[in-house]
Amino acid sequence: MQAMLREAKAGLAKLLADRTGLEKERALQLFETPRRPEMGDLAFPCFDLGKAQKSSPAKIAGDLARDLDLSGTLFSRAEPNGPYLNFFLDLPVFSGKLLRKIFLEKNQYGAADSGKGKTVVIDYSSPNIAKPFHIGHLRSTIIGESLARIYQFLGYLPIRINHLGDWGTQFGMVLSAWSKDRNEDELKRQPIGYLLQLYINYNKQASENPAYQEEARGWFKKLEAGDPETYQLWERFRNLSLEEFKKVYGRLGIEFDYYWGESFYNDKMGPALDQLRDARLLETGEDNVEMVRVAEDLPPVLLRKSDGATLYATRDLAAAIYRFEKFEPEEILYVVGRPQELHFRQLFLLLKKMGYPWTDRLHHIKFGHIQGLSTRKGAVVFLEQVLDEAKDRAREKIAENIQAGKLSPGVDQDQLAEQIGISALLVNDFKNRRERDLSFDWDQVLNFDGETGPYLQYTHARIFGILRKAGKPPGPEVDFNFLSEPETRELLKKLSLFPEIVQLARREYEPFIICNYLFELTGAFNQFYNHHRVLGSGDSEAPRLLLVDSTREVLARGLTLLGVKPLERM
Ligand code: ARG
C-alpha cells in the first residue's frame, strides 16, 4: 500500500521520463516541495534537462508545461516558474481518492504487509530487581513499546521480551539480609521497594564489614548452585516483584510475551562458553578470569569471573543465540540507553567472531538521558512513582482547565487524569529524536497548549466532539469539489503522508517521526478548523465532516502507535 502522494509522484516521474528521456529514478529524486503553497504541490527543477539538452531550464519548463498531458494523473495543471515546473494537484480527484481510502480502510489506513511472515524481537524495559530504577528503564519501556506497535502495524510479528535483571550478586545481599532480619508484611506490601531497601542497607553494612560481603557471596553461590531452599526464596522475591511490575505495565497498556530475565539463561551459558573454548577464542587472564578479545581498540569481554561466576555479557551472549535459534528473527532490537553502547558493540562483535551470520540484524536502539525528572517527594526511585506523579499533576491541570472553561467537568476525573498523565509522559519522550538528551519540566510536559500529550489528546477529543454533534455518521458519497481552500489542501496533503511516515519511523527506529507528524497534522487541522466552519456549512458540511473524520482516524492511529490511548471526551 503506497502513500498517495508518492504514487502520484511516481506517475509524474514516468511521464517526465517518457517525454524527456531522463531516467525515471532520477526524475523521482529531483522533485521538491515548493516554497509556498500557492506555488503548487510539487516542483520539478529543470537544470539537469537544461544541461542535457543544451537549452535554458526556463525554456524547458515552459515547453513541458505546454506539452505534458496530465490526464490520468492526480495533477490538474503544470505551470512554469523560472527554471522550475510546478504541478498542482487535481484536488477533487486527490481528496476523493484519499478520503474514500481512509474511510474504507479505517484503522488500517497506513498499515502494510511488508513485514508479513517476519519476526522481530524487541528487548525493552528490563528493570532490575533489588537494584535502583533508572530513568532509562522508563524511556526503554516507552520507546520499546512504540516500536513494537509500529512493527506490528507493518505486518511484522513483534516478540516483546523483558530482559529482567533478576540474577546477580545483588541477590546474595538480599538473601543474606533476609536471613538476618525479615519482614514478611513489607515484602508483600511493596516487594520492589522492600527488596531495594534490603539491598541498600546491606550494601552500606558490607562496606564497613567485610564479613557481610563474604556472607553475601556465599548466599549467591548457594543460589547459583541451585540449593532448593535458597532458590525458592529467590523465586518468591522474583514473582512478587514481577507482579508489581506488571501492574505498572498494565497502566501503560503493555504486555510482554516473555519475562525471560537474566536468570532464564543460567543453563544456556555453559554451551556458549564451550563453543568459545572449542574455537579457541576464550582466553584466561589474570586471576583466572575468562575473556574474549573482540577488537584491537576495545577492552576484552569478560565472560567468567575468577570464582566461576558469569556476568551480564555472558547472559546476553546466551540470550542472543537462544533468540535466534528459537525465532529466526529478522531483527533483534535492544532498547537500552547510550551508556551501554560499549557492551553492545562488544556483544555483536563477539557473536560475529563466533561465526554467526546474523549479527548485522542486531541493533542497539540507544537513547539519551533525561535530566531533572523528580517528584515532589524527591528523587524518583520507581517507575510507579513517575506515573503517580504524572497523574497527580494532570489532575491539577485538568482542574485549572475546567475553571478556565476549556474542559467540561462531566468526565470521570480519575480516569482522565491517569490518561492525560501517561500521554504527557509518552509524548514528552517522543518530542525529540531518541538520542538527544532531555531536560524534564513537569509544567512543560503537561501544558495543554504546547507540543504535548495533553494537547494532542485535547485535539482528538475536540474532533470527536464535532463528529458527535453532527449527529449522523460521515459517509464517502460527497461532492469533493467543496474541498478546495488552501487550509483544506494542506490538511489533505498531511493526511496522505501518514503511510510513508509510519514506514520511515520503522526504518529509523524513531517514534519521534510519528509524534512530530502528529503535531503537523493537528496544526494543519487547527488551521483548517479556525478558517472553516464544519457544522452548518451547507453543501460543504458533508465533505468537511468526512475530512474531519479522516483526521480523527489518522490522529487516533498515530497516538496508538506511540502507545497513547486516544481520548474521546475531555
Ligand atoms: N537490566 C539492564 C539494566 O538495567 C538492561 C537490560 C537490557 N537488555 C539486555 N539484553 N542487556 O541495565
Side-chain angles (χ1 to χ4, degrees):
M1 192 183 315
Q2 264 197 335
M4 197 155 291
L5 264 184
R6 198 158 62 182
E7 213 174 299
K9 237 192 241 182
L12 266 193
K14 181 164 178 341
L15 207 64
L16 283 162
D18 290 349
R19 177 73 179 60
T20 64
L22 198 68
E23 294 262 338
K24 185 185 159 204
E25 284 312 308
R26 178 68 188 145
L28 208 50
Q29 281 169 359
L30 285 173
F31 282 120
E32 294 174 19
T33 306
R35 260 176 300 122
R36 277 177 318 207
E38 320 75 271
M39 292 164 70
D41 301 290
L42 211 54
F44 184 76
C46 298
F47 303 105
D48 270 30
L49 286 175
K51 243 182 242 147
Q53 301 178 7
K54 302 208 169 52
S55 167
S56 94
K59 174 164 185 316
I60 291 174
D63 290 349
L64 283 173
R66 204 183 49 236
D67 297 349
L68 278 181
D69 176 11
L70 293 174
S71 55
T73 73
L74 287 176
F75 297 86
S76 56
R77 65 195 165 95
E79 266 177 23
N81 186 334
Y84 286 90
L85 183 58
N86 291 339
F87 293 94
F88 293 77
L89 281 170
D90 185 334
L91 214 55
V93 173
F94 178 70
S95 61
K97 264 190 124 164
L98 176 70
L99 299 184
R100 270 198 297 263
K101 186 181 172 82
I102 299 175
F103 186 83
L104 281 176
E105 295 180 351
K106 303 249 177 310
N107 63 12
Q108 290 303 300
Y109 172 65
D113 52 14
S114 46
K116 212 169 146 196
K118 294 180 195 160
T119 299
V120 55
V121 168
I122 309 181
D123 171 326
Y124 68 108
S125 194
S126 312
N128 303 316
I129 297 176
K131 270 194 179 176
F133 160 84
H134 291 286
I135 205 60
H137 295 127
L138 173 65
R139 294 209 73 190
S140 171
T141 307
I142 294 176
I143 297 169
E145 176 62 20
S146 174
L147 290 176
R149 290 178 183 210
I150 293 168
Y151 270 88
Q152 198 155 9
F153 197 53
L154 297 178
Y156 292 79
L157 177 68
I159 310 272
R160 295 161 159 94
I161 296 185
N162 195 320
H163 193 79
L164 217 53
D166 60 0
W167 203 251
T169 47
Q170 79 263 30
F171 283 98
M173 300 207 194
V174 169
L175 288 164
S176 181
W178 178 262
S179 75
K180 293 179 195 303
D181 181 20
R182 70 193 64 176
N183 186 337
E184 282 283 350
D185 294 339
E186 271 302 282
L187 177 67
K188 278 189 208 121
R189 200 176 66 80
Q190 45 130 3
I192 297 176
Y194 177 63
L195 293 174
L196 178 65
Q197 212 46 54
L198 285 186
Y199 166 76
I200 290 174
N201 292 344
Y202 198 90
N203 220 347
K204 227 183 273 156
Q205 288 165 315
S207 66
E208 286 151 21
N209 186 347
Y212 270 63
Q213 254 165 43
E214 218 24 69
E215 272 179 68
R217 255 197 292 274
W219 276 100
F220 188 55
K221 258 221 162 93
K222 247 164 97 172
L223 180 63
E224 286 213 292
D227 170 64
E229 242 173 85
T230 315
Y231 193 84
Q232 269 167 27
L233 193 52
W234 166 83
E235 209 167 28
R236 228 182 120 212
F237 291 163
R238 181 188 192 271
N239 288 342
L240 288 169
S241 304
L242 198 52
E243 264 173 51
E244 212 183 329
F245 281 130
K246 281 186 185 169
K247 262 190 255 155
V248 178
Y249 294 137
R251 285 173 72 177
L252 294 169
I254 298 177
E255 261 180 68
F256 285 93
D257 295 301
Y258 301 100
Y259 287 91
W260 286 342
E262 294 186 41
S263 67
F264 181 75
Y265 302 98
N266 278 344
D267 61 349
K268 299 172 181 61
M269 288 181 279
L273 288 170
D274 288 344
Q275 200 182 326
L276 283 170
R277 226 171 265 125
D278 291 346
R280 299 190 185 292
L281 289 171
L282 208 58
E283 280 179 46
T284 308
E286 243 176 82
D287 288 340
N288 268 343
V289 298
E290 292 189 282
M291 60 192 188
V292 178
R293 281 174 211 284
V294 289
E296 292 273 316
D297 55 339
L298 295 182
V301 190
L302 299 189
L303 293 169
R304 222 151 141 79
K305 292 194 213 166
S306 46
D307 62 359
T310 54
L311 293 100
Y312 182 58
T314 329
R315 294 187 274 279
D316 256 330
L317 172 66
I321 297 170
Y322 182 77
R323 291 165 183 178
F324 264 96
E325 280 173 0
K326 178 115 180 141
F327 302 114
E328 289 179 36
E330 190 73 6
E331 290 177 293
I332 297 187
L333 311 184
Y334 296 88
V335 188
V336 187
R338 202 174 37 219
Q340 293 196 26
E341 194 162 6
L342 174 63
H343 166 75
F344 286 107
R345 269 176 71 196
Q346 288 176 315
L347 176 66
F348 301 167
L349 285 169
L350 174 59
L351 288 157
K352 192 167 181 164
K353 250 194 146 158
M354 292 171 84
Y356 286 110
W358 36 254
T359 53
D360 55 350
R361 297 196 221 162
L362 302 168
H363 302 285
H364 177 199
I365 309 302
K366 40 185 173 280
F367 50 80
H369 193 68
I370 299 188
Q371 218 117 43
L373 173 55
S374 61
T375 69
R376 286 169 180 151
K377 295 190 192 96
V380 174
V381 194
F382 309 115
L383 195 50
E384 195 177 9
Q385 288 176 335
V386 186
L387 299 194
D388 288 346
E389 182 89 3
K391 183 174 179 177
D392 279 350
R393 299 212 187 220
R395 204 192 309 274
E396 291 165 19
K397 284 274 175 193
I398 291 165
E400 278 170 33
N401 277 289
I402 289 176
Q403 282 249 306
K406 203 171 166 183
L407 297 185
S408 68
V411 182
D412 180 331
Q413 297 289 299
D414 193 64
Q415 285 234 7
L416 185 60
E418 169 82 356
Q419 291 309 324
I420 290 294
I422 289 173
S423 321
L425 283 175
L426 266 52
V427 169
N428 180 62
D429 207 290
F430 297 136
K431 257 176 70 175
N432 297 289
R433 288 196 174 265
R434 60 184 151 73
E435 290 205 52
R436 255 185 69 180
D437 293 334
L438 299 178
S439 61
F440 193 96
D441 172 349
W442 282 108
D443 275 329
Q444 254 171 32
V445 170
L446 281 159
N447 183 353
F448 274 64
D449 300 313
E451 294 203 327
T452 63
Y455 165 79
L456 291 178
Q457 288 282 27
Y458 181 72
T459 310
H460 183 264
R462 194 168 169 216
I463 294 178
F464 236 92
I466 301 169
L467 294 164
R468 244 191 327 264
K469 245 196 238 142
K472 54 176 185 294
E477 303 307 326
V478 300
D479 186 345
F480 291 99
N481 287 301
F482 286 98
L483 297 177
S484 58
E485 308 80 358
E487 298 78 18
T488 310
R489 185 186 203 95
E490 286 310 300
L491 179 54
L492 284 164
K493 278 190 336 194
K494 280 283 177 277
L495 288 171
S496 78
L497 289 178
F498 184 60
E500 268 179 72
I501 290 290
V502 181
Q503 303 270 2
L504 190 63
R506 184 197 72 79
R507 277 204 302 279
E508 299 194 1
Y509 313 105
E510 279 285 15
F512 154 79
I513 289 174
I514 293 178
C515 187
N516 192 50
Y517 166 81
L518 293 183
F519 286 126
E520 288 177 12
L521 178 68
T522 45
F525 173 77
N526 285 326
Q527 279 296 325
F528 159 79
Y529 195 56
N530 290 341
H531 283 88
H532 309 288
R533 70 183 310 165
V534 175
L535 302 179
S537 60
D539 289 339
S540 293
E541 181 177 297
R544 283 182 183 162
L545 268 176
L546 182 64
L547 176 64
V548 170
D549 189 48
S550 306
T551 309
R552 176 199 57 74
E553 193 71 66
V554 174
L555 178 52
R557 200 56 31 221
L559 285 169
T560 308
L561 290 179
L562 295 179
V564 175
K565 198 168 142 203
L567 292 172
E568 299 181 7
R569 282 172 204 267
M570 269 174 81

